[in-house]
Amino acid sequence: MHGETTFSDYPAPGPSHFKYSTVKGVFLQSEDDTDDKKFDFRKQNFGLIERESENDHEGRHEEKSQWQRFESYVRHLNEKSGHGSQVKVLFLGRHGQGWHNVAESKYGTHAWDCYWSLLDGADGITWSDANLTGVGTSQAQDVNDLWKEMLPKGIPAPETYYVSPLTRTIETADVSFKDLELPHDRPYKPLIKELLREVLGVHTCDRRSTASHITKVFPHISLEPNFAEEDPLWEADYREPFSARKHRLSLFLDDVFANDGGRFLSFTSHSGAIASILEAVGHRSFALETGGVIPVVVRAEKVKGEREKPPREPSEGPPPCEVPPPLVLN
């Protein structure tokens, strides 16, 4: 029997939270002069910058690959961090193309936002808790191929795989990681986290399935403790504003940094959620295509006091349309 957790009491308030910052000079995506519209992480080793780091004089680094030197550098940063400070590497992956993405392109963004996204589907397409398309599966396979190429070169495998509860993200994570030859102490065991979701409310593609359905379709996943049977966060008439979304993803990060001792973590999520994570950790904005991945080196410093919750703002997005607007292609 699943608990009845709600956003208002999840996670439990604490006496402290984290202040985040991005460690620059490690990945190209963190640099201000990288054009996110042209950058291809698949052709540039996830964006890893070939560079000498401050700890390269320690040990025989000339015999190590660039990825092995990167892992040593991250551990070096943690060793020199003061009390209450830590560094983690987050591999932020956006799901591959879903049927909701196809529908938005078909109807146009304005019509999608005010009319079609409120439906479960139309014209032979179902987008409520959307599945991946064939294109989306291929995009996730591209990520899988890249990991297969990088693992023998020493890229540190994730120690934890956090995944949004939406179907398209679980499917993406499975294709990306399920058949990789991973270290025995770092197997692919996806952990479903409620707060790692896309913008909440109104759009049915962002309403998750029941816990029973998720575990039936994906029996290999684990649900976090107190994961509710029914979706406790999605509201049919209220679209989560940006400030609330950033707060929610900041709470998620606080949970992870407080409770996960790993240094290399995978988050499989959504464009809006990833944008809020990047904002929360002080990273530059960086648009991701469907199936895109952006690694970020994040420093967290523990600070006293609960994280301030923003006031409830008006629903984001246009008011609903009673009839479909005229078709305007994106």
Side-chain angles (χ1 to χ4, degrees):
M1 188 75 176
H2 296 282
E4 295 301 321
T5 306
T6 64
F7 185 30
S8 62
D9 60 12
Y10 174 88
S16 64
H17 63 284
F18 290 94
K19 178 182 178 182
Y20 300 102
S21 59
T22 296
V23 178
K24 301 183 70 173
V26 184
F27 290 103
L28 289 166
Q29 297 94 317
S30 300
E31 305 306 299
D32 295 335
D33 58 355
T34 299
D35 188 344
D36 59 351
K37 297 180 177 60
K38 297 179 180 179
F39 185 79
D40 189 340
F41 71 97
R42 291 160 297 223
K43 296 179 180 179
Q44 303 211 41
N45 299 337
F46 282 110
L48 183 66
I49 298 174
E50 294 214 7
R51 59 187 285 275
E52 291 187 3
S53 58
E54 59 191 76
N55 67 313
D56 276 358
H57 65 281
E58 301 173 7
R60 299 179 61 83
H61 281 276
E62 68 277 3
E63 298 178 0
K64 292 185 176 182
S65 71
Q66 189 67 28
W67 279 113
Q68 290 171 326
R69 293 168 66 188
F70 161 73
E71 181 173 7
S72 296
Y73 175 59
V74 172
R75 300 198 183 281
H76 169 74
L77 290 178
N78 275 290
E79 288 171 2
K80 61 178 287 190
S81 295
H83 179 71
S85 178
Q86 57 176 300
V87 173
K88 296 185 188 296
V89 179
L90 312 180
F91 288 93
L92 308 176
R94 182 185 177 188
H95 63 78
Q97 183 195 68
W99 284 107
H100 64 304
N101 301 125
V102 173
E104 181 175 354
S105 296
K106 173 183 173 68
Y107 300 117
T109 297
H110 172 67
W112 169 255
D113 284 340
C114 81
Y115 183 82
W116 297 103
S117 66
L118 284 66
L119 308 179
D120 286 349
D123 299 328
I125 303 175
T126 299
W127 54 72
S128 174
D129 192 8
N131 291 87
L132 291 182
T133 65
V135 170
T137 300
S138 295
Q139 291 169 334
Q141 184 60 52
D142 287 343
V143 174
N144 177 276
D145 292 341
L146 183 56
W147 276 103
K148 285 179 178 175
E149 180 185 351
M150 293 296 108
L151 282 168
K153 297 180 180 180
I155 188 173
E159 294 161 271
T160 311
Y161 296 85
Y162 293 106
V163 184
S164 155
L166 278 296
T167 296
R168 58 191 180 271
T169 45
I170 303 175
E171 290 177 337
T172 296
D174 280 356
V175 175
S176 298
F177 299 112
K178 206 169 186 180
D179 70 345
L180 295 178
E181 293 185 8
L182 297 166
H184 294 302
D185 61 342
R186 299 186 185 187
Y188 172 62
K189 292 184 177 180
L191 175 60
I192 306 302
K193 299 288 283 186
E194 190 80 274
L195 296 188
L196 191 53
R197 296 167 56 172
E198 185 54 294
V199 184
L200 301 170
V202 181
H203 295 195
T204 64
C205 59
D206 301 325
R207 180 185 63 207
R208 73 161 169 83
S209 299
T210 62
S212 299
H213 176 83
I214 295 170
T215 53
K216 180 180 179 180
V217 176
F218 305 103
H220 61 288
I221 60 93
S222 296
L223 302 177
E224 66 179 323
N226 299 318
F227 191 86
E229 171 66 10
E230 301 291 338
D231 188 339
L233 305 184
W234 188 87
E235 299 179 57
D237 58 355
Y238 184 76
R239 186 76 168 160
E240 182 183 36
F242 178 82
S243 60
R245 188 178 79 203
K246 179 183 175 183
H247 178 70
R248 168 168 60 88
L249 271 303
S250 296
L251 290 177
F252 166 73
L253 289 171
D254 289 346
D255 177 25
V256 169
F257 275 78
N259 297 298
D260 192 324
R263 301 304 182 195
F264 305 94
L265 310 176
S266 170
F267 297 174
T268 306
S269 190
H270 311 261
S271 60
I274 291 172
S276 288
I277 290 174
L278 293 179
E279 173 73 15
V281 301
H283 193 281
R284 55 161 292 192
S285 62
F286 199 96
L288 284 186
E289 62 185 303
T290 50
V293 178
I294 178 171
V296 183
V297 182
V298 177
R299 183 184 302 279
E301 298 179 51
K302 200 168 190 178
V303 294
K304 293 182 179 180
E306 297 178 11
R307 182 173 293 281
E308 184 177 354
K309 183 177 181 179
R312 185 176 174 93
E313 297 179 344
S315 178
E316 184 179 85
C321 305
E322 294 184 4
V323 296
L327 183 63
V328 177
L329 296 179
N330 291 340

